[in-house]
Amino acid sequence: MNDTAPHFTPAEAEGFVRDTFDRVVQASPLPSERDQNFQLKSADGEMFVLKIAKSDEERSTLDFQNAALKHTAQRAPSLALPRVVNAPSGADIVDMIDRRGQAYLARLVTWLDGILFVEAMPRNEELFASLGDALGTLDLAFRGFSHPAMGRTLHWDLKHVEFAHAHFPLLPAEQQPLVRRFMQAWEAVDWKQLRKSVIHGDANDYNILVRDSRVAGFLDFGDMVHSAIVCDVAIAIAYALLDAPEPLAAARTILTAYRRKFPLNEAELASVYPLVVGRLCMSLCYSAYNAREKSGDAYQQVTSAPAWRLLQKLAGVPIELVSDILSGDRKSPESLLANRRRLLGRNLSLSYRTPLHIVRGSMQYLWDADGRQYLDAYNNVPHVGHCHPRVLQAGCEQMAKLNTNTRYLHESVEELAENLIATLPDPLRVCYFVNSGSEANELALRLARAYSGAQDLIVLEAAYHGNTNTLIDISPYKHDGPGGRGAPSWVHVAKLPDVYRGECRRSDPQAGIKYAAGVEHLIAQLRSQGRGLCGYIAESWPSVGGQMALPDGYLSNVYAAVRAAGGVCIADEVQTGYGRLGGSFWGFDAYEVVPDIVVLGKPIGNGHPMGAVVTTPKIAAAFDNGMEFFSTFGGSTVSSAIGLAVLHVVQDEDLQTHALNVGERLLSGLRELQARHALIGDIRGSGLFLGVELVRDRLSLEPATAATAAMVNDMCAKGVLLGSEGAFHSVLKIRPPMPFTLADADRLIGNLDDCLSNYIPR
Ligand code: PMP
């Protein structure tokens, strides 16, 4: 126990207040770290706090507090702040002598009704916003206030990184690397740029008063100091976030409300997050010190466990990304939606019942404008992760050096082609680079026509290959869907080898052969009509058709029949390539076939617009008929640098094996859900390419289209992004960026379990 602490009895406190303040009260002790405080009740119901400072407290420090309380009470009358009560003598700081003759300085302030922030539940947006608003009001009230004691040195003042640093070695070894990283951000704060004032200095969750579910005011001005103003809001955020389910969203809410009352400049905004994590590091360092010095002082330890949990949670989010999320000014969703309606074509669709305003991404996570984090289980374009640092660096560096087309010699396009070809089997040895999957499929068709000399093409039911005129013609998903005009005469649609709800099911070992016979039949029909065959195109794992694997023997038989008829076999690997399936690098690898043309898109540029076609030297030679092939942006120096970086990341991080492992975890979780939820009819796919087909009835297989839409939206509300797919829009599509982890898989399964359990069919 601190030997400078006062030790008065309640009776002594009552006697003192009667004699000095002329008030008859009942005293009961309040907890305090260093001083002694009593709650006082008078007979007429008035309540006060008697604050008795430790014996070595400076009178000037107490005078500083009283003066600040009087100043802010006058400037911010809307805030609930303790009011200083003067003695009849006019004094507001009075000597109080104990039994041993030791003198202490005592003050009387009004009691404030309400609960502490730490007790307030639920911590909703309104509560967080009211905290920012009240603190902004307080900091505004502090402006212009000064006092001779305000320049004192205080350990908890965030400008004193050095005090925390001195205790850093006392931290548990497992905490040190992370704390060091955050402390570096704190140390980098440019203090000269930050405006100074007297601040509260300790708006922690025990010093914030809540009434009617809103922050009403602040208690305990004992840590007031002259420091950077922005520290006040940073400290409030640091404590308010402890154990908050959506810390960045809560932080943004507090900061936005604070700025409405007290605008911050750019340097101050940039320093908020480093100071927030700085405060958490400071708390951990002092806790470690106190644990040693004071054998685990409970008052000090109270925040260390949640502070550590919070730092761990924040660890995966790049610091500059957080600063942007916290303070970036954004348009409202309503105005964005209105502008979109006015400026963009109406048939550009938006995902989810409540459209998302996504502003940042990092690996498998996305953040919306309110700071809410989403687990991305849907987007395959950012194959190696949103904003992967290596891809970003490769693109930025090349952009700063040169970005030209393929009409000049350059290493990058050749290196990309070489590396890409190395992942493909013989005789796929010639590359073309374009800018999208659509362009790649267009080119694939030109190659096939040049080689075969024919036009007629066999496609799969429910397939999608791109957005151009010709590709809509070969995409039943579009030409047989709303607004479509059916297949043209040169397009022949083969049955989707759907072994769940199609003609031949999984129980039939001949299913693959039978579906292939359907293609052979189409070829025979063409032949009988005297028409040649240009080729056959399909996704190696029909994705748009509903995330399915092709049955055994199907593709090998189809390819043999197509080739025998002079046609070319085209594998659309836009969704399935680059290791996503886990078991193989390419979708077609899984069936031990080799296509004549492979079409690549989405993932190969990780979001940078790229597409590619890889074919055989023979087909390439047939295409080389005198007409130049040129794609202005395809294979540019920047695109090639990016494409190469993506390929290297896939290989260096062994994302294919990772996809296999995480996919197994997802599959076993999904199977467990299927055992408990009748809605799940079928589970299929491989690696990080999975489909969950929902049915209203497991016998009739009636598609549960409405339930699928509900699941996609309910999962979004829980912060997990999925999509839907398939001819009946009844397949949940799980197709995340490849860094998706085992823990992410568990989060997805847990949330899906909740959504399925709570689903009420209409
Ligand atoms: N093929 C497949 C299988 C696709 O999924 C897509 C895009 N959804 C495309 C081709 C067309 O690619 P892009 O949108 O890049 O033109």
Side-chain angles (χ1 to χ4, degrees):
M1 195 176 278
N2 194 331
D3 60 5
T4 60
H7 303 293
F8 290 94
T9 64
E12 287 168 336
E14 287 165 6
F16 172 76
V17 172
R18 190 182 55 237
D19 297 346
T20 315
F21 286 92
D22 200 16
R23 289 177 190 267
V24 178
V25 293
Q26 244 189 350
S28 35
L30 292 169
S32 173
E33 191 187 347
R34 305 175 279 249
D35 308 326
Q36 198 181 14
N37 294 332
F38 287 97
Q39 186 195 52
L40 308 177
K41 259 187 215 162
S42 71
D44 58 7
E46 269 194 295
M47 289 175 66
F48 305 91
V49 180
L50 176 65
K51 297 175 78 66
I52 312 165
K54 57 194 173 61
S55 60
D56 59 356
E57 188 64 277
E58 303 274 346
R59 179 179 285 268
S60 62
T61 303
L62 301 179
D63 188 61
F64 175 32
Q65 286 184 38
N66 276 1
L69 283 174
K70 287 174 186 173
H71 177 90
T72 49
Q74 200 202 356
R75 299 277 294 270
S78 65
L79 288 183
L81 303 171
R83 300 285 195 271
V84 178
V85 180
N86 287 3
S89 67
D92 61 6
I93 302 173
V94 189
D95 280 327
M96 188 171 175
I97 317 289
D98 73 6
R99 283 148 270 150
R100 297 166 302 164
Q102 174 70 51
Y104 298 87
L105 297 175
R107 295 174 297 142
L108 196 65
V109 296
T110 54
W111 172 266
L112 297 173
D113 277 329
I115 58 167
L116 300 179
F117 191 89
V118 71
E119 302 159 331
M121 286 295 161
R123 306 248 174 98
N124 55 21
E125 204 174 323
E126 194 193 350
L127 182 71
F128 288 126
S130 68
L131 171 55
D133 181 272
L135 195 58
T137 305
L138 181 65
D139 282 341
L140 203 57
F142 269 127
R143 301 245 57 188
F145 172 73
S146 75
H147 188 276
M150 70 186 185
R152 68 202 180 121
T153 300
L154 213 70
H155 272 69
W156 286 96
D157 181 354
L158 275 166
K159 69 174 170 283
H160 293 304
V161 185
E162 70 279 7
F163 294 143
H165 228 144
H167 303 317
F168 176 85
L170 302 176
L171 286 173
E174 74 272 14
Q175 292 187 355
Q176 291 193 8
L178 188 59
V179 172
R180 183 178 296 115
R181 186 147 68 79
F182 281 123
M183 283 183 76
Q184 279 164 357
W186 174 22
E187 278 161 353
V189 169
D190 187 357
W191 290 90
K192 290 189 297 299
Q193 303 257 24
L194 310 180
R195 289 170 296 165
K196 314 292 186 305
S197 167
V198 169
I199 59 168
H200 179 280
D202 195 17
N204 78 50
D205 39 358
Y206 285 83
N207 289 342
I208 300 168
L209 189 78
V210 175
R211 287 178 188 159
D212 301 328
S213 310
R214 291 179 58 80
V215 170
F218 301 90
L219 310 171
D220 192 352
F221 283 58
D223 283 323
M224 275 193 319
V225 66
H226 190 257
S227 189
I229 301 168
V230 65
C231 292
D232 248 357
V233 71
I235 292 165
I237 289 173
Y239 289 94
L241 298 199
L242 298 176
D243 290 327
E246 286 286 347
L248 298 187
R252 184 174 161 89
T253 304
I254 297 169
L255 187 61
T256 304
Y258 179 89
R259 291 168 64 198
R260 266 190 217 118
K261 281 279 150 52
F262 195 101
L264 295 174
N265 64 35
E266 222 168 280
E268 289 165 337
L269 283 175
S271 72
V272 171
Y273 186 59
L275 292 171
V276 168
V277 292
R279 181 59 170 222
L280 296 168
C281 292
M282 183 182 239
S283 173
L284 287 176
C285 289
Y286 289 164
S287 292
Y289 169 74
N290 284 312
R292 194 186 66 173
E293 294 297 305
K294 303 181 184 173
S295 58
D297 181 333
Y299 198 92
Q300 289 287 341
Q301 301 298 319
V302 100
T303 48
S304 64
W308 174 238
R309 280 197 294 274
L310 179 55
L311 283 181
Q312 283 175 299
K313 197 165 181 176
L314 297 172
V317 194
I319 286 178
E320 58 79 35
L321 180 154
V322 180
S323 290
D324 183 31
I325 287 176
L326 294 194
S327 51
D329 289 319
R330 317 269 182 218
K331 288 197 163 137
S332 72
E334 295 74 26
S335 79
L336 285 171
L337 206 55
N339 283 344
R340 184 181 167 104
R341 291 233 165 90
R342 189 167 57 83
L343 299 167
L344 306 180
R346 288 288 177 103
N347 50 355
L348 275 178
S349 70
L350 273 167
S351 299
Y352 307 111
R353 198 185 300 128
T354 309
L356 301 181
H357 179 191
I358 299 294
V359 296
R360 294 298 299 243
S362 176
M363 306 312 274
Q364 67 273 41
Y365 299 108
L366 293 168
W367 284 266
D368 73 9
D370 295 326
R372 185 152 193 250
Q373 187 213 57
Y374 293 87
L375 173 61
D376 186 355
Y378 180 68
N379 286 295
N380 62 338
V381 176
H383 188 69
V384 299
H386 292 276
C387 308
H388 191 290
R390 270 181 77 183
V391 179
L392 188 68
Q393 191 185 355
C396 290
E397 280 178 4
Q398 188 55 46
M399 222 177 285
K401 284 183 199 157
L402 173 76
N403 192 14
T404 49
N405 60 42
T406 45
R407 286 201 167 113
Y408 308 101
L409 291 176
H410 200 276
E411 292 81 357
S412 64
V413 71
E414 294 174 19
E415 217 180 316
L416 172 61
E418 195 145 42
N419 278 266
L420 185 56
I421 286 167
T423 68
L424 285 156
D426 260 340
L428 294 164
R429 289 292 169 260
V430 185
C431 296
Y432 300 84
F433 293 105
V434 290
N435 309 116
S436 66
S438 297
E439 244 192 298
N441 271 323
E442 277 282 349
L443 177 58
L445 281 187
R446 286 180 64 193
L447 287 164
R449 285 174 182 171
Y451 180 77
S452 66
Q455 198 183 12
D456 287 57
L457 193 76
I458 298 174
V459 303
L460 273 188
E461 222 178 359
Y464 175 71
H465 296 291
N467 62 32
T468 65
N469 280 305
T470 311
L471 297 179
I472 297 297
D473 281 347
I474 69 163
S475 299
Y477 183 74
K478 290 287 175 194
H479 67 229
D480 284 343
R485 285 200 254 141
S489 60
W490 55 273
V491 172
H492 310 279
V493 181
K495 281 249 171 314
L496 184 66
D498 180 347
V499 291
Y500 178 62
R501 60 168 65 249
E503 268 167 22
C504 307
R505 306 261 165 108
R506 214 169 269 145
S507 54
D508 180 354
Q510 296 296 305
I513 313 292
K514 289 178 184 167
Y515 282 115
V519 176
E520 287 157 15
H521 178 70
L522 285 175
I523 294 173
Q525 266 185 334
L526 282 177
R527 194 173 285 142
S528 71
Q529 293 163 11
R531 302 175 77 125
L533 179 65
C534 169
Y536 166 91
I537 183 168
E539 284 190 274
S540 310
W541 292 59
S543 157
V544 183
Q547 305 283 98
M548 22 182 101
L550 297 172
D552 284 350
Y554 172 78
L555 212 50
S556 52
N557 278 283
V558 168
Y559 276 15
V562 168
R563 284 173 179 147
V568 167
C569 301
I570 307 172
D572 183 334
E573 292 272 348
V574 166
Q575 301 225 16
T576 45
Y578 270 44
R580 173 162 294 281
L581 296 167
S584 58
F585 195 83
W586 300 104
F588 60 79
D589 276 347
Y591 317 113
E592 293 173 4
V593 295
V594 178
D596 304 307
I597 298 176
V598 176
V599 173
L600 307 179
K602 299 179 192 249
I604 67 170
N606 212 52
H608 181 77
M610 285 180 75
V613 176
V614 188
T615 191
T616 66
K618 257 178 153 174
I619 293 176
F623 184 56
D624 183 17
N625 61 2
M627 185 191 287
E628 184 207 21
F629 170 73
F630 181 62
S631 162
T632 302
F633 302 117
S636 74
T637 37
V638 166
S639 295
S640 297
I642 289 174
L644 202 55
V646 174
L647 203 48
H648 284 156
V649 172
V650 170
Q651 288 160 346
D652 293 352
E653 298 184 6
D654 195 7
L655 291 177
Q656 185 184 326
T657 310
H658 177 78
L660 185 67
N661 295 336
V662 179
E664 283 305 316
R665 177 79 142 250
L666 280 167
L667 281 169
S668 66
L670 290 169
R671 289 194 191 107
E672 199 272 322
L673 293 186
Q674 187 179 29
R676 288 188 286 113
H677 298 286
L679 258 181
I680 299 186
D682 193 33
I683 295 163
R684 53 197 182 230
S686 169
L688 292 176
F689 177 88
L690 302 175
V692 182
E693 179 148 1
L694 303 187
V695 289
R696 289 170 66 95
D697 181 296
R698 283 187 181 173
L699 285 177
S700 71
L701 305 189
E702 187 187 342
T705 305
T708 309
M711 285 307 119
V712 169
N713 283 303
D714 293 354
M715 287 291 277
C716 176
K718 286 182 178 291
V720 181
L721 303 185
L722 296 175
S724 65
E725 201 65 277
F728 307 102
H729 303 283
S730 58
V731 182
L732 290 174
K733 188 163 186 168
I734 304 175
R735 192 192 51 177
M738 299 280 272
F740 199 85
T741 63
L742 292 172
D744 295 328
D746 294 344
R747 174 172 165 193
L748 186 157
I749 297 293
N751 280 308
L752 188 56
D753 193 7
D754 288 348
C755 292
L756 288 163
S757 303
N758 296 329
Y759 177 66
I760 302 165
R762 259 159 275 161

